Amino acid sequence: EIYQCDWSSDVCSSDLEVRQVFVEAEARELGLGDALLGTAIDAARRTGCSRLEGSALPGDRLTKNLYERAGVVARKIVLSTDL
């Protein structure tokens, strides 16, 4: 398996959460990540979701760029520290 997109929602009444979009290194730069995320967005629309959510870790510019190409924008930053 060189690519994977995992999301949660069967019949959506609000949000679809993209948990992971993964493409093996040797298969990157071919548009597979964009296609996977596009499939998740289409599924969200088909099932009546009003919003799609995903996350990118700090410094993960590739994931942030993937979401932004699909029109997904950052709307919240969560900050934390170990105590």
Side-chain angles (χ1 to χ4, degrees), residues 4-5 9 25 27 30 34-36 40-41 43 63-65 72 74 79-80:
Q4 170 185 342
C5 187
S9 184
L30 301 174
D34 294 289
L36 290 167
I41 291 168
T63 299
K64 188 172 183 300
N65 291 346
V72 180
L79 306 167
S80 68

Side-chain angles (χ1 to χ4, degrees), residues 21-41:
V21 177
F22 178 77
V23 177
E24 291 282 350
E26 65 270 13
R28 292 183 185 155
E29 303 294 322
L30 301 174
L32 294 172
D34 294 289
L36 290 167
L37 186 54
T39 298
I41 291 168

